[in-house]
Amino acid sequence: MFERPYDGCGKCLLGVRRLSRVKAAASSPERQWEDVLAAAASVGAHIIGWADDWEVSGATDPMTRPKLGPWLRDERGSYDGLVAAAVDRLGRNVVDCLNTGYKMRDEGKLLVTYGHDGPWDLDDPTDENGFTMEAWGAHSSVTAPGSSLR
């Protein structure tokens, strides 16, 4: 079973899902659920809970997101790391993604995303660069206020 309570095994991960609009098919809640479970399974981890921020703008700082924020602020209990469908579900710009990633690194917690081989190691320059590139990809999908590009 991939979903069970915190048991101190060292691989008790919080599933992170976020959508600005729930109707976005490419990142639907169901698809993110599948990707998060697959990513957790790939590292032998399990999900202890879900931080589902639906209808929450990617521009919202992860620390203040309604569901993820309390976990990041240590208000919800113990967990061994985060697992998301993609880096861009952690934040919508480079700063937010890196801040969340470095928080996990500095606290000795796992950071796992679907499609990446194993947990991210932000002490390894190659992995750190790869994570940053994925964060830049998330950032580039944001349009400037007033822009006609969507």
Side-chain angles (χ1 to χ4, degrees):
M1 298 301 289
F2 295 114
E3 296 180 72
R4 63 179 190 264
Y6 181 85
D7 62 13
C9 71
K11 292 193 175 183
C12 301
L13 304 181
L14 177 67
V16 176
R17 300 186 297 171
R18 184 200 56 76
L19 280 177
S20 298
R21 287 177 225 109
V22 175
K23 297 175 185 145
S27 298
S28 72
E30 296 80 15
R31 181 162 179 178
Q32 287 187 52
W33 180 78
E34 292 168 1
D35 290 349
V36 166
L37 289 180
S42 77
V43 297
H46 63 100
I47 305 298
I48 61 154
W50 293 92
D52 292 339
D53 286 309
W54 307 131
E55 304 288 330
V56 174
S57 169
T60 305
D61 181 333
M63 294 293 284
T64 63
R65 281 170 35 185
K67 302 295 184 176
L68 178 58
W71 287 95
L72 294 177
R73 296 188 308 266
D74 297 320
E75 298 170 359
R76 292 294 313 263
S78 298
Y79 67 104
D80 298 318
L82 303 176
V83 56
V87 171
D88 70 358
R89 300 299 91 189
L90 299 171
R92 184 56 81 82
N93 62 45
V94 176
V95 172
D96 285 348
C97 292
L98 288 174
N99 283 344
T100 302
Y102 290 142
K103 178 175 177 48
M104 294 299 102
R105 178 200 64 191
D106 294 348
E107 293 178 2
K109 294 182 177 181
L110 298 172
L111 182 60
V112 179
T113 59
Y114 181 77
H116 181 265
D117 188 24
W120 289 97
D121 178 359
L122 298 183
D123 286 324
D124 174 67
T126 301
D127 239 16
E128 182 183 39
N129 285 337
F131 186 85
T132 303
M133 293 301 290
E134 288 198 27
W136 272 112
H139 189 90
S140 68
S141 69
V142 177
T143 57
S147 170
S148 63
L149 299 175
R150 295 265 179 232

